[in-house]
Amino acid sequence: MPQNDLTSVSHASDATSTPRPRKVPRIVVLGGGSVGLYVARRLRKKLKKREAAIVVVDPRPYMTYAPFLPEAGAGSIDARDVVAPHRKALKGIDVLQGKVTTIEHGRKAVKIQPEEGEEYEVTYDQLVVGLGSVSRTLPIPGLAENAIGFKNVEEAIAVRNHVLNRLDVASSTWDADLRKRMLTFTFVGGGFAGIEALAEIEDMARYATRQYNTIEPSDLRFVMIEGAGRILPEVTEPMGEYALAELKKRGIEFHLNTFLSSCVDGHVVTSTGVEFDTETIVWTAGVKANPVIKEASDLPFDKMGRVTVLPTLQVVTETGEIVPDAWAAGDCAAVPDVNNPGKFCPPNAQHAIREAKRLADNMVALYKEKPAVDYDHKNLGVVASLGLYKGVAELFGFIKLRGFLAWLAHRGYHVMAMPTGNRKVRIVIGWMGQFLMGRELVSLGSLHDPRQEFRNASVPPKPVGEKVEQKAESSAERAESGAKA
Protein backbone atom coordinates (compact mmCIF):
# COMPACT_ATOMS: atom_id res chain seq x y z
CA MET A 1 0.00 0.00 0.00
CA PRO A 2 1.72 3.18 -1.15
CA GLN A 3 0.27 5.44 1.58
CA ASN A 4 1.90 3.54 4.41
CA ASP A 5 5.31 1.90 4.47
CA LEU A 6 4.42 -0.18 7.54
CA THR A 7 1.48 -1.95 5.97
CA SER A 8 0.64 -4.65 8.51
CA VAL A 9 -0.53 -6.84 5.64
CA SER A 10 0.17 -10.56 5.95
CA HIS A 11 -0.84 -13.86 4.47
CA ALA A 12 -3.69 -15.53 6.31
CA SER A 13 -1.29 -18.23 7.53
CA ASP A 14 0.71 -15.52 9.35
CA ALA A 15 -2.37 -14.08 11.09
CA THR A 16 -1.05 -14.85 14.56
CA SER A 17 2.05 -12.70 14.04
CA THR A 18 2.16 -9.32 15.83
CA PRO A 19 1.19 -6.46 13.46
CA ARG A 20 3.88 -3.91 12.85
CA PRO A 21 3.11 -0.35 13.99
CA ARG A 22 1.70 2.09 11.43
CA LYS A 23 2.76 5.65 10.83
CA VAL A 24 -0.85 6.85 10.52
CA PRO A 25 -4.21 5.28 11.48
CA ARG A 26 -5.74 3.08 8.80
CA ILE A 27 -9.42 3.15 7.84
CA VAL A 28 -10.55 0.06 5.95
CA VAL A 29 -13.75 0.41 3.94
CA LEU A 30 -15.34 -2.90 2.98
CA GLY A 31 -17.25 -2.54 -0.28
CA GLY A 32 -16.76 -0.11 -3.13
CA GLY A 33 -20.42 0.52 -3.91
CA SER A 34 -22.45 3.63 -3.12
CA VAL A 35 -21.54 3.58 0.58
CA GLY A 36 -17.88 2.64 0.22
CA LEU A 37 -17.10 5.01 -2.62
CA TYR A 38 -18.78 8.05 -1.08
CA VAL A 39 -17.40 7.38 2.41
CA ALA A 40 -13.85 7.04 1.09
CA ARG A 41 -14.07 10.13 -1.13
CA ARG A 42 -15.48 12.29 1.67
CA LEU A 43 -12.95 11.05 4.21
CA ARG A 44 -10.09 11.75 1.82
CA LYS A 45 -11.42 15.25 1.28
CA LYS A 46 -11.65 15.96 5.03
CA LEU A 47 -8.63 14.05 6.34
CA LYS A 48 -5.11 14.64 5.09
CA LYS A 49 -2.91 11.67 4.21
CA ARG A 50 -0.84 12.14 7.35
CA GLU A 51 -4.05 11.93 9.40
CA ALA A 52 -5.39 8.69 7.96
CA ALA A 53 -4.65 6.05 5.35
CA ILE A 54 -7.82 4.87 3.58
CA VAL A 55 -8.22 1.44 1.99
CA VAL A 56 -11.23 0.29 -0.05
CA VAL A 57 -11.80 -3.44 -0.60
CA ASP A 58 -14.13 -4.74 -3.31
CA PRO A 59 -14.11 -7.76 -5.69
CA ARG A 60 -14.88 -5.46 -8.64
CA PRO A 61 -12.69 -2.59 -9.84
CA TYR A 62 -15.65 -0.23 -10.12
CA MET A 63 -18.84 0.96 -8.43
CA THR A 64 -22.12 0.21 -10.22
CA TYR A 65 -24.85 2.84 -10.06
CA ALA A 66 -27.76 0.42 -9.72
CA PRO A 67 -30.66 2.79 -10.62
CA PHE A 68 -29.30 3.00 -14.16
CA LEU A 69 -29.06 -0.77 -14.70
CA PRO A 70 -32.48 -1.00 -16.43
CA GLU A 71 -31.48 1.72 -18.91
CA ALA A 72 -28.13 0.01 -19.49
CA GLY A 73 -30.01 -3.25 -20.06
CA ALA A 74 -32.21 -1.53 -22.62
CA GLY A 75 -29.27 0.10 -24.39
CA SER A 76 -30.23 3.66 -23.44
CA ILE A 77 -26.92 4.04 -21.58
CA ASP A 78 -23.60 2.45 -22.44
CA ALA A 79 -22.63 -0.21 -19.91
CA ARG A 80 -19.31 1.49 -19.12
CA ASP A 81 -21.08 4.71 -18.24
CA VAL A 82 -23.12 3.27 -15.35
CA VAL A 83 -19.96 2.31 -13.47
CA ALA A 84 -17.38 4.52 -11.75
CA PRO A 85 -13.86 3.02 -11.93
CA HIS A 86 -12.39 2.93 -8.43
CA ARG A 87 -8.88 3.89 -9.43
CA LYS A 88 -10.15 7.03 -11.13
CA ALA A 89 -12.85 7.96 -8.61
CA LEU A 90 -10.75 7.20 -5.51
CA LYS A 91 -7.70 9.39 -5.93
CA GLY A 92 -5.31 9.23 -3.00
CA ILE A 93 -7.00 6.07 -1.70
CA ASP A 94 -5.64 2.53 -1.78
CA VAL A 95 -7.86 0.02 -3.59
CA LEU A 96 -7.64 -3.73 -2.98
CA GLN A 97 -9.50 -5.94 -5.44
CA GLY A 98 -10.66 -9.05 -3.64
CA LYS A 99 -13.51 -10.68 -1.75
CA VAL A 100 -13.87 -10.21 1.99
CA THR A 101 -14.04 -13.68 3.52
CA THR A 102 -13.75 -12.96 7.25
CA ILE A 103 -14.22 -9.96 9.56
CA GLU A 104 -12.56 -10.25 12.97
CA HIS A 105 -13.23 -6.91 14.60
CA GLY A 106 -12.02 -8.25 17.94
CA ARG A 107 -8.56 -8.40 16.37
CA LYS A 108 -9.26 -5.48 14.00
CA ALA A 109 -8.43 -7.61 10.99
CA VAL A 110 -10.14 -8.71 7.79
CA LYS A 111 -9.22 -11.55 5.46
CA ILE A 112 -9.33 -10.97 1.72
CA GLN A 113 -9.34 -13.51 -1.07
CA PRO A 114 -8.00 -12.02 -4.33
CA GLU A 115 -9.15 -13.36 -7.68
CA GLU A 116 -5.81 -15.14 -7.98
CA GLY A 117 -3.27 -16.01 -5.30
CA GLU A 118 -3.42 -16.75 -1.62
CA GLU A 119 -5.77 -15.22 0.92
CA TYR A 120 -4.20 -12.44 2.98
CA GLU A 121 -5.05 -10.33 6.00
CA VAL A 122 -5.27 -6.57 6.51
CA THR A 123 -5.41 -4.92 9.92
CA TYR A 124 -7.01 -1.56 10.64
CA ASP A 125 -7.83 1.06 13.23
CA GLN A 126 -11.32 1.97 11.98
CA LEU A 127 -13.70 -0.22 9.98
CA VAL A 128 -16.54 0.81 7.65
CA VAL A 129 -18.86 -1.97 6.46
CA GLY A 130 -20.56 -1.13 3.18
CA LEU A 131 -20.72 -4.60 1.64
CA GLY A 132 -24.18 -4.03 0.18
CA SER A 133 -26.50 -6.85 -0.73
CA VAL A 134 -26.81 -9.90 -2.95
CA SER A 135 -29.82 -11.41 -4.71
CA ARG A 136 -32.21 -13.18 -2.34
CA THR A 137 -33.05 -16.48 -3.98
CA LEU A 138 -35.23 -19.41 -2.91
CA PRO A 139 -34.77 -23.19 -3.34
CA ILE A 140 -37.10 -23.30 -6.34
CA PRO A 141 -36.48 -26.25 -8.71
CA GLY A 142 -34.69 -25.06 -11.84
CA LEU A 143 -34.10 -21.49 -10.62
CA ALA A 144 -30.32 -21.69 -10.26
CA GLU A 145 -29.94 -23.45 -13.62
CA ASN A 146 -32.25 -21.26 -15.72
CA ALA A 147 -32.63 -17.79 -14.20
CA ILE A 148 -30.43 -14.73 -14.22
CA GLY A 149 -30.36 -11.83 -11.76
CA PHE A 150 -30.44 -8.12 -12.46
CA LYS A 151 -28.16 -6.94 -9.65
CA ASN A 152 -25.03 -5.85 -11.51
CA VAL A 153 -24.03 -4.46 -14.89
CA GLU A 154 -22.80 -7.83 -16.18
CA GLU A 155 -26.23 -9.34 -15.60
CA ALA A 156 -28.06 -6.37 -17.14
CA ILE A 157 -26.02 -6.54 -20.33
CA ALA A 158 -26.35 -10.34 -20.45
CA VAL A 159 -30.15 -9.98 -20.30
CA ARG A 160 -30.08 -7.40 -23.09
CA ASN A 161 -27.90 -9.56 -25.33
CA HIS A 162 -29.97 -12.65 -24.59
CA VAL A 163 -33.30 -10.95 -25.41
CA LEU A 164 -31.98 -9.54 -28.69
CA ASN A 165 -30.42 -12.90 -29.54
CA ARG A 166 -33.77 -14.64 -28.99
CA LEU A 167 -35.35 -12.21 -31.45
CA ASP A 168 -32.59 -12.90 -33.99
CA VAL A 169 -32.97 -16.66 -33.69
CA ALA A 170 -36.78 -16.64 -33.56
CA SER A 171 -36.96 -14.56 -36.75
CA SER A 172 -35.54 -17.53 -38.68
CA THR A 173 -37.33 -20.28 -36.76
CA TRP A 174 -40.46 -21.87 -38.24
CA ASP A 175 -41.30 -24.24 -35.38
CA ALA A 176 -44.30 -22.43 -33.82
CA ASP A 177 -43.86 -23.89 -30.32
CA LEU A 178 -40.14 -23.23 -30.23
CA ARG A 179 -40.63 -19.72 -31.55
CA LYS A 180 -43.27 -19.01 -28.89
CA ARG A 181 -40.89 -20.26 -26.20
CA MET A 182 -38.11 -18.01 -27.48
CA LEU A 183 -40.34 -14.94 -27.51
CA THR A 184 -41.66 -15.44 -23.96
CA PHE A 185 -39.79 -13.37 -21.38
CA THR A 186 -40.48 -13.87 -17.67
CA PHE A 187 -39.63 -11.52 -14.80
CA VAL A 188 -40.08 -12.49 -11.15
CA GLY A 189 -40.45 -9.69 -8.57
CA GLY A 190 -42.58 -6.55 -8.92
CA GLY A 191 -40.59 -4.07 -6.86
CA PHE A 192 -38.64 -1.14 -8.30
CA ALA A 193 -35.85 -3.26 -9.75
CA GLY A 194 -38.20 -5.76 -11.38
CA ILE A 195 -40.70 -3.28 -12.81
CA GLU A 196 -38.04 -0.95 -14.22
CA ALA A 197 -36.12 -3.87 -15.72
CA LEU A 198 -39.28 -5.36 -17.23
CA ALA A 199 -40.52 -2.03 -18.60
CA GLU A 200 -37.19 -1.02 -20.16
CA ILE A 201 -36.46 -4.44 -21.69
CA GLU A 202 -40.01 -4.75 -23.07
CA ASP A 203 -39.79 -1.27 -24.54
CA MET A 204 -36.48 -2.16 -26.20
CA ALA A 205 -37.75 -5.51 -27.54
CA ARG A 206 -40.92 -3.98 -28.96
CA TYR A 207 -38.84 -1.28 -30.68
CA ALA A 208 -36.49 -3.97 -32.03
CA THR A 209 -39.30 -5.79 -33.83
CA ARG A 210 -39.16 -3.02 -36.46
CA GLN A 211 -36.03 -4.72 -37.75
CA TYR A 212 -37.72 -8.06 -38.35
CA ASN A 213 -40.20 -8.80 -41.12
CA THR A 214 -41.25 -12.05 -39.43
CA ILE A 215 -41.83 -10.75 -35.88
CA GLU A 216 -44.67 -8.49 -34.78
CA PRO A 217 -44.88 -6.76 -31.36
CA SER A 218 -47.88 -8.96 -30.63
CA ASP A 219 -45.65 -12.05 -30.95
CA LEU A 220 -43.76 -11.00 -27.82
CA ARG A 221 -45.01 -12.24 -24.47
CA PHE A 222 -43.74 -10.51 -21.33
CA VAL A 223 -44.82 -12.02 -18.01
CA MET A 224 -44.43 -10.62 -14.49
CA ILE A 225 -44.85 -12.90 -11.45
CA GLU A 226 -45.27 -11.11 -8.12
CA GLY A 227 -46.12 -12.60 -4.74
CA ALA A 228 -47.84 -9.47 -3.38
CA GLY A 229 -51.17 -8.08 -4.49
CA ARG A 230 -49.65 -4.98 -6.09
CA ILE A 231 -46.51 -3.72 -7.82
CA LEU A 232 -44.13 -0.91 -6.82
CA PRO A 233 -44.83 -0.99 -3.06
CA GLU A 234 -42.43 1.96 -2.71
CA VAL A 235 -45.03 4.35 -4.22
CA THR A 236 -48.56 5.07 -3.09
CA GLU A 237 -51.27 2.65 -4.18
CA PRO A 238 -52.86 4.99 -6.79
CA MET A 239 -49.49 5.48 -8.48
CA GLY A 240 -48.84 1.75 -8.37
CA GLU A 241 -52.22 1.10 -9.98
CA TYR A 242 -51.47 3.68 -12.66
CA ALA A 243 -48.16 1.98 -13.47
CA LEU A 244 -49.87 -1.42 -13.58
CA ALA A 245 -52.56 -0.15 -15.95
CA GLU A 246 -50.01 1.49 -18.25
CA LEU A 247 -47.91 -1.67 -18.46
CA LYS A 248 -50.98 -3.81 -19.12
CA LYS A 249 -51.87 -1.51 -22.04
CA ARG A 250 -48.56 -2.58 -23.59
CA GLY A 251 -49.65 -6.21 -23.41
CA ILE A 252 -47.53 -7.17 -20.40
CA GLU A 253 -49.09 -10.07 -18.48
CA PHE A 254 -49.21 -9.81 -14.67
CA HIS A 255 -49.73 -12.62 -12.15
CA LEU A 256 -50.17 -10.98 -8.73
CA ASN A 257 -50.53 -12.89 -5.46
CA THR A 258 -48.58 -15.58 -7.30
CA PHE A 259 -45.30 -17.35 -6.60
CA LEU A 260 -42.89 -19.19 -8.86
CA SER A 261 -43.08 -22.89 -7.93
CA SER A 262 -40.78 -24.43 -10.54
CA CYS A 263 -38.89 -23.56 -13.72
CA VAL A 264 -37.07 -26.79 -14.58
CA ASP A 265 -35.78 -26.69 -18.18
CA GLY A 266 -37.59 -23.39 -18.69
CA HIS A 267 -41.04 -24.83 -17.95
CA VAL A 268 -42.59 -22.32 -15.56
CA VAL A 269 -45.13 -23.50 -13.01
CA THR A 270 -46.74 -20.97 -10.65
CA SER A 271 -48.52 -21.36 -7.32
CA THR A 272 -51.83 -20.55 -9.06
CA GLY A 273 -51.45 -23.37 -11.58
CA VAL A 274 -50.33 -21.31 -14.58
CA GLU A 275 -47.81 -23.16 -16.77
CA PHE A 276 -45.83 -22.04 -19.83
CA ASP A 277 -42.43 -22.47 -21.47
CA THR A 278 -39.82 -19.74 -21.68
CA GLU A 279 -36.14 -19.32 -22.44
CA THR A 280 -35.77 -16.15 -20.36
CA ILE A 281 -36.28 -15.92 -16.59
CA VAL A 282 -35.05 -12.75 -14.82
CA TRP A 283 -35.07 -12.92 -11.02
CA THR A 284 -35.55 -9.58 -9.25
CA ALA A 285 -37.44 -10.82 -6.17
CA GLY A 286 -35.54 -8.94 -3.50
CA VAL A 287 -32.08 -8.77 -1.97
CA LYS A 288 -30.42 -9.73 1.30
CA ALA A 289 -27.43 -8.39 3.18
CA ASN A 290 -24.04 -9.73 2.14
CA PRO A 291 -23.86 -13.17 3.84
CA VAL A 292 -20.30 -12.68 5.10
CA ILE A 293 -21.73 -10.49 7.90
CA LYS A 294 -23.79 -13.34 9.34
CA GLU A 295 -21.56 -16.25 8.42
CA ALA A 296 -17.99 -15.00 8.93
CA SER A 297 -18.05 -11.92 11.13
CA ASP A 298 -18.01 -11.12 14.85
CA LEU A 299 -20.03 -7.93 14.35
CA PRO A 300 -23.58 -7.85 15.79
CA PHE A 301 -26.39 -8.40 13.29
CA ASP A 302 -30.19 -8.65 13.27
CA LYS A 303 -32.43 -11.52 12.16
CA MET A 304 -32.10 -10.36 8.54
CA GLY A 305 -28.31 -10.56 8.67
CA ARG A 306 -27.79 -6.78 8.69
CA VAL A 307 -25.24 -5.06 10.90
CA THR A 308 -27.04 -3.31 13.75
CA VAL A 309 -26.23 0.38 14.01
CA LEU A 310 -27.32 3.54 15.80
CA PRO A 311 -28.74 6.50 13.85
CA THR A 312 -25.17 7.84 14.00
CA LEU A 313 -24.20 4.76 11.91
CA GLN A 314 -21.94 3.42 14.67
CA VAL A 315 -22.19 -0.35 15.10
CA VAL A 316 -24.11 -1.26 18.26
CA THR A 317 -24.79 -4.49 20.14
CA GLU A 318 -28.23 -5.85 20.98
CA THR A 319 -27.95 -4.29 24.45
CA GLY A 320 -27.23 -0.85 22.98
CA GLU A 321 -23.49 -0.83 23.61
CA ILE A 322 -21.43 0.90 20.91
CA VAL A 323 -18.81 -1.29 19.25
CA PRO A 324 -15.71 0.93 19.15
CA ASP A 325 -14.18 1.84 15.78
CA ALA A 326 -16.87 0.10 13.71
CA TRP A 327 -19.33 1.75 11.31
CA ALA A 328 -21.86 0.48 8.76
CA ALA A 329 -24.41 1.83 6.28
CA GLY A 330 -26.37 0.94 3.16
CA ASP A 331 -28.10 -2.30 2.24
CA CYS A 332 -26.08 -4.37 4.72
CA ALA A 333 -26.97 -2.23 7.74
CA ALA A 334 -30.17 -1.86 9.78
CA VAL A 335 -30.21 1.94 9.86
CA PRO A 336 -32.99 3.30 12.13
CA ASP A 337 -35.34 5.80 10.47
CA VAL A 338 -35.52 8.65 12.98
CA ASN A 339 -38.55 10.07 11.16
CA ASN A 340 -40.46 6.79 11.50
CA PRO A 341 -39.66 5.27 14.92
CA GLY A 342 -39.47 1.50 14.86
CA LYS A 343 -38.71 1.37 11.14
CA PHE A 344 -35.50 1.28 9.13
CA CYS A 345 -34.28 3.26 6.15
CA PRO A 346 -35.04 1.45 2.88
CA PRO A 347 -32.14 -0.14 0.98
CA ASN A 348 -31.91 2.21 -2.00
CA ALA A 349 -29.27 4.40 -3.62
CA GLN A 350 -30.78 7.63 -2.33
CA HIS A 351 -30.33 6.61 1.32
CA ALA A 352 -27.02 4.81 0.77
CA ILE A 353 -25.32 7.91 -0.66
CA ARG A 354 -26.63 10.20 2.08
CA GLU A 355 -25.83 7.71 4.83
CA ALA A 356 -22.30 7.50 3.47
CA LYS A 357 -21.81 11.25 3.74
CA ARG A 358 -23.18 11.36 7.29
CA LEU A 359 -21.00 8.39 8.28
CA ALA A 360 -17.85 10.06 6.97
CA ASP A 361 -18.72 13.34 8.69
CA ASN A 362 -19.30 11.51 11.98
CA MET A 363 -15.97 9.70 11.71
CA VAL A 364 -14.21 13.00 11.17
CA ALA A 365 -16.13 14.56 14.07
CA LEU A 366 -14.96 11.82 16.45
CA TYR A 367 -11.41 12.23 15.15
CA LYS A 368 -11.66 15.87 16.22
CA GLU A 369 -13.40 14.97 19.50
CA LYS A 370 -16.76 16.37 18.44
CA PRO A 371 -20.14 14.59 18.88
CA ALA A 372 -21.59 12.36 16.17
CA VAL A 373 -24.89 13.42 14.57
CA ASP A 374 -27.88 11.18 13.75
CA TYR A 375 -28.63 10.35 10.13
CA ASP A 376 -31.84 12.29 9.60
CA HIS A 377 -32.95 12.49 6.01
CA LYS A 378 -36.52 12.88 4.90
CA ASN A 379 -37.28 10.99 1.74
CA LEU A 380 -37.20 13.38 -1.21
CA GLY A 381 -39.52 11.05 -3.07
CA VAL A 382 -39.39 8.17 -5.49
CA VAL A 383 -38.99 8.06 -9.25
CA ALA A 384 -39.36 5.07 -11.55
CA SER A 385 -38.89 4.64 -15.27
CA LEU A 386 -41.45 2.63 -17.25
CA GLY A 387 -39.52 2.72 -20.51
CA LEU A 388 -38.51 5.50 -22.87
CA TYR A 389 -40.47 8.72 -22.15
CA LYS A 390 -42.63 6.98 -19.53
CA GLY A 391 -42.49 6.92 -15.74
CA VAL A 392 -44.04 7.65 -12.35
CA ALA A 393 -42.74 9.98 -9.65
CA GLU A 394 -43.75 11.21 -6.20
CA LEU A 395 -41.65 14.12 -4.97
CA PHE A 396 -41.55 15.86 -1.58
CA GLY A 397 -44.69 14.06 -0.48
CA PHE A 398 -47.14 16.08 -2.56
CA ILE A 399 -45.89 16.34 -6.18
CA LYS A 400 -47.14 13.42 -8.26
CA LEU A 401 -45.96 13.08 -11.85
CA ARG A 402 -46.87 10.62 -14.56
CA GLY A 403 -45.63 9.89 -18.06
CA PHE A 404 -43.05 12.16 -19.70
CA LEU A 405 -42.53 14.57 -16.77
CA ALA A 406 -41.95 11.67 -14.37
CA TRP A 407 -39.47 10.17 -16.82
CA LEU A 408 -37.60 13.50 -16.98
CA ALA A 409 -37.54 13.65 -13.17
CA HIS A 410 -36.14 10.11 -13.07
CA ARG A 411 -33.33 10.88 -15.47
CA GLY A 412 -32.57 14.28 -13.97
CA TYR A 413 -32.29 13.03 -10.40
CA HIS A 414 -30.18 9.99 -11.17
CA VAL A 415 -27.76 11.70 -13.54
CA MET A 416 -27.06 14.25 -10.81
CA ALA A 417 -26.52 11.44 -8.28
CA MET A 418 -24.13 9.57 -10.58
CA PRO A 419 -20.59 9.91 -9.18
CA THR A 420 -17.89 11.79 -11.13
CA GLY A 421 -18.49 14.53 -13.68
CA ASN A 422 -16.93 12.34 -16.36
CA ARG A 423 -19.75 9.81 -16.09
CA LYS A 424 -22.45 12.49 -15.94
CA VAL A 425 -21.24 13.97 -19.22
CA ARG A 426 -20.93 10.59 -20.92
CA ILE A 427 -24.48 9.61 -19.93
CA VAL A 428 -25.98 12.87 -21.21
CA ILE A 429 -24.06 12.57 -24.49
CA GLY A 430 -25.30 8.99 -24.83
CA TRP A 431 -28.89 10.11 -24.34
CA MET A 432 -28.45 12.80 -26.99
CA GLY A 433 -27.01 10.26 -29.42
CA GLN A 434 -29.91 7.90 -28.83
CA PHE A 435 -32.43 10.69 -29.35
CA LEU A 436 -30.84 11.71 -32.66
CA MET A 437 -29.97 8.27 -34.06
CA GLY A 438 -32.27 5.83 -32.26
CA ARG A 439 -31.44 2.77 -30.18
CA GLU A 440 -28.47 0.54 -30.97
CA LEU A 441 -29.95 -2.96 -31.24
CA VAL A 442 -27.05 -5.34 -31.78
CA SER A 443 -26.74 -8.54 -29.79
CA LEU A 444 -23.18 -9.31 -28.72
CA GLY A 445 -23.96 -12.49 -26.86
CA SER A 446 -20.60 -14.04 -27.73
CA LEU A 447 -19.00 -11.55 -25.34
CA HIS A 448 -20.10 -13.79 -22.48
CA ASP A 449 -18.07 -16.71 -23.85
CA PRO A 450 -15.55 -15.23 -26.31
CA ARG A 451 -13.50 -18.47 -26.53
CA GLN A 452 -16.39 -20.62 -27.78
CA GLU A 453 -15.66 -20.08 -31.47
CA PHE A 454 -11.97 -20.79 -30.94
CA ARG A 455 -12.81 -24.00 -29.05
CA ASN A 456 -15.10 -25.10 -31.87
CA ALA A 457 -12.35 -24.50 -34.44
CA SER A 458 -9.69 -26.33 -32.44
CA VAL A 459 -8.64 -29.84 -33.49
CA PRO A 460 -8.42 -32.68 -30.92
CA PRO A 461 -4.98 -33.00 -29.27
CA LYS A 462 -2.61 -35.77 -30.32
CA PRO A 463 -2.32 -38.85 -28.09
CA VAL A 464 0.21 -38.56 -25.29
CA GLY A 465 3.72 -39.29 -26.61
CA GLU A 466 2.87 -38.67 -30.28
CA LYS A 467 4.92 -35.84 -31.77
CA VAL A 468 3.07 -32.80 -33.08
CA GLU A 469 4.64 -31.59 -36.34
CA GLN A 470 4.63 -27.83 -36.84
CA LYS A 471 5.92 -25.97 -39.86
CA ALA A 472 6.38 -22.25 -40.27
CA GLU A 473 4.41 -21.06 -43.28
CA SER A 474 3.59 -17.57 -44.48
CA SER A 475 0.07 -16.49 -45.38
CA ALA A 476 1.17 -16.12 -49.02
CA GLU A 477 2.37 -19.74 -49.10
CA ARG A 478 -0.90 -20.93 -47.56
CA ALA A 479 -2.88 -18.98 -50.14
CA GLU A 480 -0.75 -20.43 -52.98
CA SER A 481 -1.12 -24.02 -51.76
CA GLY A 482 -4.85 -23.46 -51.38
CA ALA A 483 -5.10 -22.21 -54.96
CA LYS A 484 -3.25 -25.27 -56.30
CA ALA A 485 -5.56 -27.56 -54.41
Side-chain angles (χ1 to χ4, degrees), residues 63 83 90 117 141 146 192 217 229 253 282 321 419 423 442-443 456 463:
M63 172 213 135
V83 300
L90 298 173
N146 296 285
F192 254 114
E253 183 181 328
V282 182
E321 182 181 353
R423 284 305 186 262
V442 178
S443 170
N456 293 340

Side-chain angles (χ1 to χ4, degrees), residues 45-66:
K45 182 178 179 180
K46 292 176 175 286
L47 296 175
K48 296 179 181 179
K49 290 187 177 181
R50 65 174 179 269
E51 294 179 290
I54 304 170
V55 182
V56 173
V57 183
D58 195 276
R60 289 186 172 85
Y62 51 79
M63 172 213 135
T64 301
Y65 188 66

Side-chain angles (χ1 to χ4, degrees), residues 18 68 79-80 108 143 172 215 227 328 337 479:
T18 303
F68 274 148
R80 292 182 179 87
K108 290 194 174 180
L143 183 65
S172 301
I215 299 179
D337 187 343

Side-chain angles (χ1 to χ4, degrees), residues 193-211:
I195 292 300
E196 288 194 320
L198 166 69
E200 291 282 357
I201 295 296
E202 187 274 341
D203 199 32
M204 175 199 71
R206 184 159 37 82
Y207 180 89
T209 59
R210 302 178 186 184
Q211 298 183 154

Side-chain angles (χ1 to χ4, degrees), residues 264-285:
V264 176
D265 296 328
H267 181 70
V268 169
V269 180
T270 72
S271 59
T272 56
V274 176
E275 296 188 32
F276 58 89
D277 292 323
T278 180
E279 291 191 357
T280 307
I281 301 173
V282 182
W283 179 267
T284 60

Side-chain angles (χ1 to χ4, degrees), residues 173-184 277 279:
T173 300
W174 311 118
D175 184 317
D177 291 337
L178 180 58
R179 177 185 167 95
K180 183 178 180 181
R181 180 187 179 103
M182 289 178 181
L183 298 180
T184 298
D277 292 323
E279 291 191 357

Side-chain angles (χ1 to χ4, degrees), residues 23 64-65 67 77 88 126 176 271 284 310 315 364 406 426:
K23 289 182 178 179
T64 301
Y65 188 66
I77 301 176
K88 178 176 284 189
Q126 296 267 348
S271 59
T284 60
L310 294 173
V315 177
V364 174
R426 286 177 179 272

